[in-house]
Amino acid sequence: MEQNPKTELNEITISPSQYPKVKVDVLQMEQELSFRKLVESSECPEQLKYDFNKNGELKHLDTNEPFVFNYYKNAHESNHKRYQVLGHLITQYVYELLERVCKLQKVHIPTDATEDEPRSFFFISEKALTNSSSLIVLLQDRGVFRAGQWGLKTIIHEGLDHGTQIPFIKTALQCYGGVIVLNPNDNFIDLKMEDEWLSLSTKEESSTVNSSWWIPKRCSSSSEEHTIYIWDNFISKSAAKNVAFIAHGYGGLVFINLLIQRTWEVMNKVYSVALIDSMHHTLHQVKNNPQVQEWIQKHCREWVTNSKPLDRPTGSLVKVDCPTVSAGTEKYSLAPSSTLQAIFKYLKSTLKAKNTVTLSRSPIVTRSSKNKKRGNTC
């Protein structure tokens, strides 16, 4: 997306209708980018006769019905295998959307990996590291889903707009300039499954877990390690003066871990953190560090699933934690999409407040101060 570097943040007004929708971009690229093409290239096109419609919803091609798990009668293993294949294909499709619709670049890590070494990766927008304005970092919950997804089940049952991070990415690019999409759940390579992903002919006994088939990816063997590596090698070295995190579920715990491990760097570079149903535990993670506790209270806000309307205070029994407000939904899976508008409104206001404080602290340049710099004392 083409950026306008002259646009000031306080000039940006965002209404719900302006938030980018996945379906528009998917329709524009329908001829060259299709989920159905991925399914047909697998070995199970008949068992998975599904595609995303113009609204980004996964529907059966013949019946237009939502996805049904029990395709085979009384065969849980086969149905589970079919579901795994579907999940793998959706993951590949979302990757393509990130690269071809959102124009993000895939970056493999670690950067010093050998050619045959298992590697993880994440996604980053063009010039995100050299743009001196703002950078948004997306950190998802833990699970089988990968970069660009808030939840695989949510994509399957609620659609791309609710289950993927694409609306967040498009909004971040439109309003802030740079975005990094972490991939914290891509921790291992499964040698056995590599040859079986696109086939439904696997025998049931092949589902037996054998840890010898799993190889950890260096610098990404856990969500925490993945995030710290990208912080050390990319985010901390970026030109961005204003970094914000949006973290869902376990991603909140991972961010607080990053804050503990790289305290001064994070406190100096990150201006705001939006947490969604976070699994962090301030008292347990931070312990007796009043400076970090104060920073969390000041720079973090959490949206929690609640029956109250969006953004209404919910209260917190933990005084050292951050303020909490309602996510506007009681469904955990829908919390990210429900809070999108509120989160970007919050990030905008906190950045404006930060810039106001920065300007107020800047020394006032007078004629005498200019003369002193020139060496004049008169």
Side-chain angles (χ1 to χ4, degrees), residues 205-219:
E205 58 264 23
S206 67
S207 63
T208 304
V209 176
N210 187 338
S211 60
S212 63
W213 291 104
W214 293 79
I215 299 178
K217 296 184 178 182
R218 182 164 61 91
C219 301

Side-chain angles (χ1 to χ4, degrees), residues 318-371:
V318 184
K319 293 183 179 180
V320 297
D321 208 354
C322 61
T324 58
V325 295
S326 173
T329 179
E330 295 183 82
K331 294 184 177 181
Y332 181 85
S333 61
L334 296 180
S337 59
S338 176
T339 56
L340 184 147
Q341 180 185 356
I343 285 175
F344 279 100
K345 181 180 178 181
Y346 166 70
L347 296 182
K348 175 185 174 181
S349 64
T350 52
L351 182 54
K352 184 177 180 180
K354 175 182 181 292
N355 290 337
T356 301
V357 171
T358 302
L359 287 173
S360 66
R361 291 178 178 175
S362 299
I364 300 175
V365 179
T366 63
R367 184 180 299 177
S368 59
S369 65
K370 287 182 178 180
N371 289 335

Side-chain angles (χ1 to χ4, degrees), residues 13-24 171 174 340-341:
T13 303
I14 311 171
S15 65
S17 62
Q18 289 177 302
Y19 283 99
K21 293 293 184 181
V22 179
K23 58 188 177 186
V24 176
T171 306
Q174 177 180 320
L340 184 147
Q341 180 185 356

Side-chain angles (χ1 to χ4, degrees), residues 127-246:
K127 299 180 181 178
L129 301 180
T130 57
N131 190 331
S132 61
S133 58
S134 302
L135 178 63
I136 306 295
V137 183
L138 301 181
L139 183 52
Q140 65 196 127
D141 195 8
R142 61 182 169 185
V144 297
F145 41 91
R146 300 292 185 259
Q149 303 179 40
W150 291 124
L152 180 58
K153 287 184 179 179
T154 312
I155 294 175
I156 293 173
H157 298 293
E158 305 292 343
L160 296 170
D161 279 338
H162 294 286
T164 75
Q165 297 175 341
I166 293 175
F168 281 79
I169 295 167
K170 302 291 282 186
T171 306
L173 291 173
Q174 177 180 320
C175 303
Y176 294 88
V179 64
I180 286 180
V181 179
L182 299 182
N183 199 11
N185 300 320
D186 183 35
N187 310 130
F188 300 89
I189 183 170
D190 185 348
L191 295 179
K192 196 168 188 177
M193 289 300 292
E194 286 295 301
D195 296 328
E196 298 176 355
W197 267 124
L198 303 183
S199 172
L200 287 175
S201 59
T202 310
K203 294 181 180 179
E204 291 190 8
E205 58 264 23
S206 67
S207 63
T208 304
V209 176
N210 187 338
S211 60
S212 63
W213 291 104
W214 293 79
I215 299 178
K217 296 184 178 182
R218 182 164 61 91
C219 301
S220 288
S221 62
S222 68
S223 300
E224 291 84 348
E225 188 177 51
H226 175 88
T227 303
I228 289 176
Y229 181 86
I230 294 176
W231 174 271
D232 289 344
N233 292 274
F234 297 93
I235 303 173
S236 68
K237 296 178 180 179
S238 70
K241 298 177 182 178
N242 305 302
V243 177
F245 275 74
I246 301 174

Side-chain angles (χ1 to χ4, degrees), residues 82-121:
R82 173 174 171 265
Y83 182 82
Q84 283 185 307
V85 173
L86 175 65
H88 176 74
L89 293 171
I90 288 176
T91 295
Q92 300 308 309
Y93 183 57
V94 172
Y95 287 161
E96 288 194 14
L97 291 176
L98 295 184
E99 291 187 277
R100 298 169 65 179
V101 173
C102 300
K103 306 299 182 185
L104 302 186
Q105 300 171 356
K106 180 189 287 187
V107 179
H108 286 89
I109 57 173
T111 55
D112 63 346
T114 59
E115 188 175 342
D116 58 348
E117 182 180 358
R119 296 181 297 169
S120 183
F121 55 88

